[in-house]
Amino acid sequence: MAVYTEVTDEELNDFIGSYDVGRLLSFKGIAEGVENSNFLVHTDKASYILTLYEKRVNPDDLPYFLNLLQHLAAKGLSCPTPVPSRDGKLLGTLAGRPAALVTFLDGMWVKRPRVDHCAELGKAMAELHLDGADYEGFRKNALDVSGWRPLFDQCGERSDTVHPGLGGEIARELDHLEKVWPNDLPGGVIHADLFPDNVFFLGNELSGLIDFYFACNDAFAYDVAICLNAWCFEQDMSFNVTKAKALLKGYATVRPLSEAEYDALPTLCRGAALRFLLTRLYDWLSVPEGALVTPKDPLEYLKKLRFHQSISSAEAYGLER
Protein backbone atom coordinates (compact mmCIF):
# COMPACT_ATOMS: atom_id res chain seq x y z
CA MET A 1 0.00 0.00 0.00
CA ALA A 2 1.11 3.61 -0.54
CA VAL A 3 -0.01 7.16 -1.30
CA TYR A 4 0.77 8.46 -4.78
CA THR A 5 -2.36 10.56 -5.43
CA GLU A 6 -3.48 13.21 -2.97
CA VAL A 7 -7.22 13.56 -2.34
CA THR A 8 -8.87 16.80 -1.21
CA ASP A 9 -11.45 16.87 1.57
CA GLU A 10 -14.12 17.97 -0.89
CA GLU A 11 -13.36 15.14 -3.33
CA LEU A 12 -13.42 12.57 -0.56
CA ASN A 13 -16.68 13.82 0.93
CA ASP A 14 -18.37 13.66 -2.46
CA PHE A 15 -17.05 10.15 -3.06
CA ILE A 16 -18.05 8.77 0.34
CA GLY A 17 -21.43 10.42 -0.06
CA SER A 18 -22.18 8.10 -2.99
CA TYR A 19 -22.10 5.12 -0.58
CA ASP A 20 -24.46 4.16 2.20
CA VAL A 21 -21.65 4.00 4.78
CA GLY A 22 -22.48 6.89 7.05
CA ARG A 23 -20.92 10.28 7.66
CA LEU A 24 -17.20 10.72 7.05
CA LEU A 25 -15.27 11.35 10.28
CA SER A 26 -11.62 11.05 9.26
CA PHE A 27 -9.18 9.61 6.76
CA LYS A 28 -5.43 9.17 6.51
CA GLY A 29 -2.99 7.85 3.96
CA ILE A 30 -1.32 4.48 4.40
CA ALA A 31 2.32 4.84 3.38
CA GLU A 32 3.30 1.21 2.76
CA GLY A 33 3.83 -0.83 -0.38
CA VAL A 34 4.39 0.26 -3.96
CA GLU A 35 1.27 -0.30 -6.05
CA ASN A 36 -1.78 1.85 -5.24
CA SER A 37 -2.80 4.83 -3.12
CA ASN A 38 -4.60 3.70 0.03
CA PHE A 39 -6.45 5.51 2.79
CA LEU A 40 -7.98 4.41 6.07
CA VAL A 41 -11.47 5.90 6.20
CA HIS A 42 -13.56 6.20 9.37
CA THR A 43 -17.29 6.96 9.25
CA ASP A 44 -19.87 7.04 12.02
CA LYS A 45 -20.85 3.50 10.98
CA ALA A 46 -17.58 1.63 10.43
CA SER A 47 -14.03 1.77 9.09
CA TYR A 48 -13.04 1.10 5.48
CA ILE A 49 -10.05 1.01 3.17
CA LEU A 50 -10.23 3.31 0.16
CA THR A 51 -7.97 2.35 -2.75
CA LEU A 52 -7.07 4.51 -5.73
CA TYR A 53 -5.63 2.37 -8.51
CA GLU A 54 -2.52 3.91 -9.99
CA LYS A 55 -1.19 3.77 -13.54
CA ARG A 56 0.68 0.50 -13.05
CA VAL A 57 -2.66 -1.28 -12.52
CA ASN A 58 -4.59 -2.12 -15.67
CA PRO A 59 -8.15 -0.77 -15.19
CA ASP A 60 -9.45 -3.71 -17.25
CA ASP A 61 -8.29 -6.05 -14.46
CA LEU A 62 -10.25 -4.33 -11.70
CA PRO A 63 -13.53 -6.24 -12.20
CA TYR A 64 -11.57 -9.49 -11.84
CA PHE A 65 -10.09 -8.37 -8.51
CA LEU A 66 -13.25 -6.91 -7.02
CA ASN A 67 -15.55 -9.75 -8.10
CA LEU A 68 -12.99 -12.24 -6.81
CA LEU A 69 -13.09 -10.64 -3.37
CA GLN A 70 -16.88 -10.87 -3.35
CA HIS A 71 -16.68 -14.52 -4.44
CA LEU A 72 -14.14 -15.48 -1.77
CA ALA A 73 -15.99 -13.62 0.98
CA ALA A 74 -19.18 -15.45 0.04
CA LYS A 75 -17.25 -18.74 0.40
CA GLY A 76 -16.28 -17.79 3.94
CA LEU A 77 -12.71 -16.69 3.36
CA SER A 78 -11.83 -13.71 5.53
CA CYS A 79 -10.80 -10.96 3.12
CA PRO A 80 -11.80 -7.35 2.36
CA THR A 81 -15.23 -7.18 0.76
CA PRO A 82 -15.95 -4.48 -1.84
CA VAL A 83 -18.73 -2.09 -0.81
CA PRO A 84 -21.20 -1.25 -3.59
CA SER A 85 -22.16 2.36 -4.08
CA ARG A 86 -25.80 3.38 -3.90
CA ASP A 87 -26.14 2.64 -7.62
CA GLY A 88 -24.69 -0.85 -7.14
CA LYS A 89 -21.22 -0.25 -8.62
CA LEU A 90 -18.08 -1.67 -7.02
CA LEU A 91 -15.78 0.72 -8.88
CA GLY A 92 -15.90 4.52 -8.96
CA THR A 93 -13.60 7.42 -9.78
CA LEU A 94 -11.78 9.69 -7.34
CA ALA A 95 -9.11 12.32 -8.08
CA GLY A 96 -8.92 11.08 -11.64
CA ARG A 97 -8.21 7.49 -10.60
CA PRO A 98 -10.39 4.37 -10.51
CA ALA A 99 -11.30 3.82 -6.86
CA ALA A 100 -13.02 1.27 -4.64
CA LEU A 101 -14.12 1.10 -1.02
CA VAL A 102 -13.66 -2.20 0.86
CA THR A 103 -14.42 -3.38 4.36
CA PHE A 104 -11.76 -3.04 7.05
CA LEU A 105 -10.31 -6.20 8.59
CA ASP A 106 -9.27 -6.31 12.24
CA GLY A 107 -5.82 -7.63 12.98
CA MET A 108 -2.16 -6.90 12.53
CA TRP A 109 0.54 -8.36 10.35
CA VAL A 110 3.56 -9.90 12.03
CA LYS A 111 7.01 -8.56 11.22
CA ARG A 112 8.75 -11.70 12.44
CA PRO A 113 6.54 -14.70 11.66
CA ARG A 114 6.82 -17.66 13.97
CA VAL A 115 6.42 -21.31 13.06
CA ASP A 116 2.74 -21.29 14.06
CA HIS A 117 2.10 -18.24 11.87
CA CYS A 118 3.60 -20.10 8.92
CA ALA A 119 1.35 -23.09 9.54
CA GLU A 120 -1.74 -20.88 9.66
CA LEU A 121 -0.68 -19.12 6.48
CA GLY A 122 -0.29 -22.48 4.71
CA LYS A 123 -3.83 -23.50 5.65
CA ALA A 124 -5.35 -20.18 4.60
CA MET A 125 -3.54 -20.22 1.26
CA ALA A 126 -4.85 -23.71 0.49
CA GLU A 127 -8.37 -22.61 1.44
CA LEU A 128 -8.03 -19.68 -0.94
CA HIS A 129 -6.99 -22.04 -3.74
CA LEU A 130 -9.99 -24.31 -3.13
CA ASP A 131 -12.47 -21.44 -2.64
CA GLY A 132 -11.42 -19.90 -5.93
CA ALA A 133 -11.86 -23.13 -7.88
CA ASP A 134 -15.30 -22.19 -9.23
CA TYR A 135 -14.59 -18.49 -9.77
CA GLU A 136 -15.56 -17.75 -13.36
CA GLY A 137 -13.15 -14.89 -13.92
CA PHE A 138 -9.78 -15.41 -15.54
CA ARG A 139 -6.69 -13.23 -15.44
CA LYS A 140 -3.36 -14.28 -16.87
CA ASN A 141 -0.43 -13.72 -14.55
CA ALA A 142 1.17 -10.60 -16.04
CA LEU A 143 4.30 -11.35 -14.02
CA ASP A 144 4.78 -15.01 -14.91
CA VAL A 145 7.93 -16.27 -16.61
CA SER A 146 6.91 -14.65 -19.91
CA GLY A 147 6.77 -11.23 -18.26
CA TRP A 148 10.13 -11.21 -16.52
CA ARG A 149 12.38 -10.46 -19.48
CA PRO A 150 10.33 -7.44 -20.65
CA LEU A 151 10.49 -6.10 -17.09
CA PHE A 152 14.24 -6.67 -16.98
CA ASP A 153 14.61 -4.90 -20.31
CA GLN A 154 13.05 -1.79 -18.76
CA CYS A 155 15.78 -1.75 -16.14
CA GLY A 156 18.53 -2.32 -18.71
CA GLU A 157 22.07 -1.22 -17.93
CA ARG A 158 20.86 0.63 -14.83
CA SER A 159 20.74 -2.73 -13.04
CA ASP A 160 24.47 -2.61 -12.43
CA THR A 161 24.12 0.73 -10.62
CA VAL A 162 22.25 -1.16 -7.89
CA HIS A 163 24.82 -3.95 -7.63
CA PRO A 164 27.90 -4.63 -9.79
CA GLY A 165 27.23 -7.47 -12.25
CA LEU A 166 23.54 -7.68 -11.36
CA GLY A 167 22.39 -7.39 -14.97
CA GLY A 168 24.46 -10.35 -16.12
CA GLU A 169 23.36 -12.50 -13.18
CA ILE A 170 19.70 -11.80 -13.91
CA ALA A 171 20.17 -12.49 -17.63
CA ARG A 172 21.71 -15.91 -16.90
CA GLU A 173 18.90 -16.83 -14.53
CA LEU A 174 16.30 -15.78 -17.07
CA ASP A 175 17.93 -17.99 -19.70
CA HIS A 176 17.74 -20.94 -17.32
CA LEU A 177 14.20 -20.48 -16.06
CA GLU A 178 12.72 -19.85 -19.49
CA LYS A 179 14.00 -23.29 -20.53
CA VAL A 180 12.86 -25.32 -17.50
CA TRP A 181 9.70 -23.55 -16.26
CA PRO A 182 6.85 -26.06 -15.68
CA ASN A 183 3.60 -25.33 -17.52
CA ASP A 184 1.41 -28.32 -16.61
CA LEU A 185 0.95 -28.04 -12.84
CA PRO A 186 -2.47 -27.87 -11.12
CA GLY A 187 -3.68 -24.29 -11.02
CA GLY A 188 -6.46 -21.79 -10.60
CA VAL A 189 -6.83 -18.54 -8.66
CA ILE A 190 -3.72 -17.59 -6.68
CA HIS A 191 -3.00 -14.54 -4.55
CA ALA A 192 0.55 -14.11 -5.93
CA ASP A 193 1.58 -11.62 -3.21
CA LEU A 194 0.98 -13.28 0.18
CA PHE A 195 3.74 -11.49 2.04
CA PRO A 196 3.43 -11.16 5.82
CA ASP A 197 2.06 -7.60 5.49
CA ASN A 198 -0.87 -9.02 3.51
CA VAL A 199 -1.86 -11.51 6.22
CA PHE A 200 -3.53 -10.32 9.42
CA PHE A 201 -3.52 -12.06 12.80
CA LEU A 202 -5.45 -11.51 16.01
CA GLY A 203 -3.26 -13.10 18.63
CA ASN A 204 -2.25 -16.46 17.20
CA GLU A 205 -5.29 -16.71 14.93
CA LEU A 206 -5.16 -15.69 11.29
CA SER A 207 -7.88 -13.06 10.85
CA GLY A 208 -7.73 -12.35 7.12
CA LEU A 209 -5.92 -12.00 3.81
CA ILE A 210 -5.68 -8.62 2.08
CA ASP A 211 -4.30 -6.88 -1.04
CA PHE A 212 -5.47 -9.16 -3.85
CA TYR A 213 -4.31 -6.85 -6.65
CA PHE A 214 -1.79 -9.32 -8.04
CA ALA A 215 -4.32 -12.17 -7.96
CA CYS A 216 -4.44 -14.18 -11.16
CA ASN A 217 -4.74 -17.68 -12.58
CA ASP A 218 -1.53 -19.67 -12.30
CA ALA A 219 -0.03 -22.76 -10.68
CA PHE A 220 -1.02 -23.25 -7.04
CA ALA A 221 2.51 -24.38 -6.19
CA TYR A 222 3.87 -21.08 -7.49
CA ASP A 223 1.84 -19.33 -4.76
CA VAL A 224 3.44 -21.73 -2.27
CA ALA A 225 6.90 -20.85 -3.64
CA ILE A 226 6.20 -17.13 -3.21
CA CYS A 227 5.33 -17.76 0.44
CA LEU A 228 8.41 -19.87 1.07
CA ASN A 229 10.43 -16.88 -0.08
CA ALA A 230 8.41 -14.34 1.88
CA TRP A 231 7.93 -16.20 5.18
CA CYS A 232 10.81 -18.62 5.69
CA PHE A 233 13.97 -16.53 5.51
CA GLU A 234 15.40 -14.91 8.63
CA GLN A 235 16.82 -11.39 8.76
CA ASP A 236 20.32 -12.72 8.09
CA MET A 237 18.94 -14.41 4.93
CA SER A 238 19.30 -17.91 6.38
CA PHE A 239 16.49 -20.27 5.36
CA ASN A 240 14.40 -21.57 8.26
CA VAL A 241 13.53 -25.16 7.36
CA THR A 242 11.27 -25.49 10.42
CA LYS A 243 9.08 -22.61 9.20
CA ALA A 244 9.03 -24.02 5.67
CA LYS A 245 8.01 -27.43 6.97
CA ALA A 246 5.19 -25.88 9.00
CA LEU A 247 3.94 -23.85 6.03
CA LEU A 248 3.94 -26.86 3.72
CA LYS A 249 2.36 -29.14 6.32
CA GLY A 250 -0.37 -26.59 7.03
CA TYR A 251 -1.08 -26.29 3.31
CA ALA A 252 -1.23 -30.07 2.88
CA THR A 253 -3.84 -30.45 5.64
CA VAL A 254 -6.26 -28.62 3.34
CA ARG A 255 -4.92 -29.40 -0.14
CA PRO A 256 -2.15 -32.01 -0.52
CA LEU A 257 0.48 -31.20 -3.14
CA SER A 258 1.03 -33.64 -5.98
CA GLU A 259 4.40 -35.29 -6.66
CA ALA A 260 4.84 -33.05 -9.69
CA GLU A 261 4.27 -29.96 -7.52
CA TYR A 262 6.78 -31.16 -4.95
CA ASP A 263 9.38 -31.82 -7.62
CA ALA A 264 8.86 -28.39 -9.18
CA LEU A 265 9.30 -26.42 -5.96
CA PRO A 266 13.05 -25.64 -6.33
CA THR A 267 12.42 -24.20 -9.81
CA LEU A 268 9.31 -22.36 -8.68
CA CYS A 269 11.15 -20.87 -5.71
CA ARG A 270 13.91 -19.62 -8.00
CA GLY A 271 11.28 -18.08 -10.25
CA ALA A 272 9.46 -16.43 -7.36
CA ALA A 273 12.73 -14.96 -6.08
CA LEU A 274 13.58 -13.63 -9.53
CA ARG A 275 10.10 -12.16 -9.99
CA PHE A 276 10.39 -10.08 -6.79
CA LEU A 277 14.00 -9.19 -7.49
CA LEU A 278 12.88 -7.76 -10.83
CA THR A 279 9.84 -5.85 -9.57
CA ARG A 280 11.81 -4.42 -6.67
CA LEU A 281 14.63 -3.50 -9.02
CA TYR A 282 12.19 -1.74 -11.33
CA ASP A 283 10.60 0.11 -8.40
CA TRP A 284 14.00 1.05 -6.99
CA LEU A 285 14.89 2.68 -10.30
CA SER A 286 11.44 4.12 -11.10
CA VAL A 287 9.52 5.29 -8.01
CA PRO A 288 8.03 8.74 -8.79
CA GLU A 289 9.63 11.69 -7.06
CA GLY A 290 7.62 12.80 -4.06
CA ALA A 291 5.77 9.51 -3.53
CA LEU A 292 5.18 8.77 0.16
CA VAL A 293 6.80 5.35 -0.05
CA THR A 294 10.24 3.83 0.41
CA PRO A 295 11.09 1.25 -2.27
CA LYS A 296 12.06 -2.18 -0.99
CA ASP A 297 15.61 -3.46 -1.36
CA PRO A 298 15.91 -5.66 -4.47
CA LEU A 299 19.14 -7.24 -3.20
CA GLU A 300 17.20 -9.11 -0.52
CA TYR A 301 15.79 -11.25 -3.30
CA LEU A 302 19.13 -11.63 -5.01
CA LYS A 303 20.35 -13.36 -1.84
CA LYS A 304 17.25 -15.56 -1.76
CA LEU A 305 17.67 -16.44 -5.43
CA ARG A 306 21.24 -17.54 -4.81
CA PHE A 307 20.04 -19.80 -1.99
CA HIS A 308 17.47 -21.50 -4.23
CA GLN A 309 20.08 -21.95 -6.95
CA SER A 310 21.93 -24.20 -4.48
CA ILE A 311 18.91 -26.47 -3.93
CA SER A 312 18.78 -29.73 -5.88
CA SER A 313 15.62 -31.32 -4.43
CA ALA A 314 12.42 -30.28 -2.69
CA GLU A 315 13.42 -32.14 0.48
CA ALA A 316 15.74 -29.23 1.29
CA TYR A 317 12.62 -27.21 2.10
CA GLY A 318 11.63 -29.64 4.84
CA LEU A 319 9.13 -31.59 2.79
CA GLU A 320 7.66 -34.83 4.02
CA ARG A 321 6.16 -36.85 1.18
Side-chain angles (χ1 to χ4, degrees):
M1 297 180 178
V3 175
Y4 293 101
T5 300
E6 294 296 334
V7 178
T8 67
D9 291 347
E10 293 77 11
E11 288 174 323
L12 185 65
N13 270 300
D14 288 345
F15 184 83
I16 296 299
S18 67
Y19 292 81
D20 188 19
V21 295
R23 182 171 58 88
L24 177 65
L25 298 179
S26 66
F27 78 106
K28 65 178 180 178
I30 303 173
E32 295 181 0
V34 294
E35 286 303 314
N36 303 308
S37 294
N38 290 271
F39 301 87
L40 177 60
V41 175
H42 297 288
T43 76
D44 57 4
K45 287 187 176 181
S47 297
Y48 304 89
I49 297 295
L50 169 63
T51 298
L52 277 66
Y53 301 99
E54 300 294 343
K55 294 179 180 179
R56 188 165 163 180
V57 177
N58 183 348
D60 293 339
D61 289 333
L62 294 177
Y64 175 93
F65 300 140
L66 297 174
N67 291 327
L68 173 61
L69 287 171
Q70 278 199 327
H71 176 90
L72 295 174
K75 290 280 188 175
L77 189 78
S78 182
C79 62
T81 305
V83 179
S85 62
R86 286 195 175 94
D87 60 3
K89 296 180 180 178
L90 299 182
L91 189 65
T93 302
L94 177 59
R97 296 280 189 263
L101 196 67
V102 301
T103 56
F104 177 81
L105 291 182
D106 284 325
M108 297 179 60
W109 67 276
V110 291
K111 293 186 177 181
R112 295 188 179 182
R114 301 190 307 266
V115 172
D116 54 333
H117 294 135
C118 294
E120 289 298 305
L121 178 275
K123 293 176 186 176
M125 176 170 41
E127 290 167 358
L128 162 62
H129 293 166
L130 294 182
D131 288 344
D134 58 348
Y135 180 57
E136 295 182 355
F138 179 87
R139 177 178 181 263
K140 182 183 183 297
N141 186 357
L143 289 169
D144 65 6
V145 65
S146 68
W148 298 338
R149 191 173 293 276
L151 185 59
F152 177 50
D153 289 343
Q154 294 181 65
C155 299
E157 296 179 355
R158 295 181 299 160
S159 301
D160 287 354
T161 66
V162 177
H163 182 75
L166 180 59
E169 191 164 352
I170 291 174
R172 289 188 293 273
E173 184 66 11
L174 278 169
D175 289 342
H176 169 74
L177 290 175
E178 287 170 349
K179 292 176 183 177
V180 303
W181 195 253
N183 294 307
D184 55 355
L185 298 175
V189 173
I190 69 169
H191 185 284
D193 195 36
L194 272 178
F195 278 61
D197 57 352
N198 288 331
V199 181
F200 283 1
F201 288 86
L202 284 171
N204 296 325
E205 298 294 323
L206 191 150
S207 61
L209 308 179
I210 68 167
D211 204 355
F212 280 72
Y213 300 111
F214 283 106
C216 57
N217 295 75
D218 208 331
F220 295 137
Y222 180 58
D223 225 8
V224 175
I226 290 171
C227 290
L228 288 171
N229 274 285
W231 289 72
C232 300
F233 283 88
E234 301 300 333
Q235 289 188 319
D236 63 358
M237 289 298 103
S238 62
F239 187 75
N240 190 318
V241 175
T242 304
K243 288 183 178 179
K245 184 177 180 179
L247 190 157
L248 293 165
K249 187 175 181 180
Y251 186 93
T253 60
V254 177
R255 180 190 170 269
L257 292 169
S258 69
E259 287 296 311
E261 289 174 301
Y262 278 131
D263 291 339
L265 270 181
T267 296
L268 296 173
C269 284
R270 286 175 69 163
L274 181 63
R275 173 258 191 267
F276 287 100
L277 167 57
L278 286 170
T279 51
R280 287 188 176 194
L281 177 63
Y282 177 86
D283 291 335
W284 189 271
L285 296 170
S286 309
V287 168
E289 184 178 352
L292 302 178
V293 61
T294 301
K296 297 178 180 178
D297 183 7
L299 298 185
E300 174 188 338
Y301 270 83
L302 177 63
K303 295 171 184 176
K304 293 179 179 182
L305 173 60
R306 289 172 175 172
F307 169 81
H308 296 304
Q309 289 171 335
S310 71
I311 299 301
S312 58
S313 71
E315 278 70 23
Y317 298 116
L319 290 170
E320 293 181 355
R321 302 200 191 208

